[in-house]
Amino acid sequence: MGRRGNRGKDDASAQSVPVTPEIRRMVSADLPEVERIEQENFSRPWTAEDYQGFLDREDADFLVAVVDGRIVGYIGEYGLPDEGDITNVSVDRRYRNRHIGTCLVSGLIQTAGARGIRKIFLEVRESNAPAIRLYENAGFRKTGVRRNYYTSPVEDAVLMMRGPETEKDGI
């Protein structure tokens, strides 16, 4: 998740009715919507050019969630068999608490697994309890803490990992 910062918590007006998004690979045409969600959710957002750099790589998996033809979230991972690192996960504030994050994480686990990734690592803000719960439900386990990892504001990162020893517990 990098040293960017998450600006805020879930939007109080978000509906909590689950939806089933289409999960597919991110393509260049998706970048304006991805960048919009990125800017709305992070204090140090990536640009469309940052994402394009990952889309051009063979060692990366970037996926989007689509509901009613609209991109409502995305997730990214890069690495070489057998380990990968999640770089970004974000859901449009209007679609939070609707099962989008779960679908994105599940889709990424499957996509990365097909590429030979057996262990996936990530960092998450210590204060981001909903994301930590999501990852734990997907079979990730806490492995450590990185002090002052995030900026804007400064905060520790919880390190998490999902691998063969945790798969039976997750998605």
Side-chain angles (χ1 to χ4, degrees):
M1 294 234 193
R3 291 182 174 264
R4 306 169 318 139
N6 190 317
R7 277 194 199 141
K9 305 294 180 201
D10 290 351
D11 182 35
S13 65
Q15 296 179 17
S16 60
V17 177
V19 296
T20 303
E22 170 195 0
I23 304 297
R24 64 166 173 77
R25 287 199 175 276
M26 186 185 294
V27 297
S28 297
D30 299 330
L31 295 179
E33 278 302 295
V34 167
E35 191 172 41
R36 178 191 61 77
I37 296 168
E38 180 83 3
Q39 300 235 348
E40 136 186 317
N41 287 309
F42 294 101
S43 59
R44 294 182 58 201
W46 284 16
T47 66
E49 291 78 22
D50 295 328
Y51 281 98
Q52 186 63 57
F54 277 100
L55 295 182
D56 294 339
R57 295 173 61 160
E58 291 184 20
D59 64 345
D61 297 301
F62 277 68
L63 308 175
V64 293
V66 181
V67 174
D68 297 328
R70 179 184 179 148
I71 294 172
V72 299
Y74 55 89
I75 189 169
E77 165 273 326
Y78 73 96
L80 297 172
D82 72 341
E83 296 182 358
D85 290 295
I86 291 180
T87 60
N88 305 61
V89 181
S90 192
V91 174
D92 184 307
R93 290 174 188 243
R94 293 164 292 201
Y95 286 85
R96 291 190 183 164
N97 299 313
R98 298 183 72 185
H99 197 62
I100 304 293
T102 299
C103 292
L104 283 165
V105 171
S106 179
L108 184 73
I109 289 167
Q110 292 173 11
T111 301
R115 213 178 79 232
I117 302 293
R118 298 291 171 247
K119 289 185 178 181
I120 302 174
F121 298 88
L122 62 86
E123 297 89 15
V124 60
R125 280 186 178 275
E126 186 175 55
S127 65
N128 194 343
I132 292 170
R133 263 191 320 277
L134 167 71
Y135 297 132
E136 287 175 337
N137 288 338
F140 285 83
R141 297 294 171 253
K142 295 176 186 176
T143 60
V145 173
R146 285 202 175 126
R147 300 283 175 220
N148 301 318
Y149 181 73
Y150 290 103
T151 59
S152 301
V154 174
E155 186 174 350
D156 294 345
V158 174
L159 303 174
M160 300 184 83
M161 187 271 295
R162 182 185 195 279
E165 61 277 10
T166 64
E167 287 177 2
K168 64 183 176 296
D169 299 330
I171 295 174

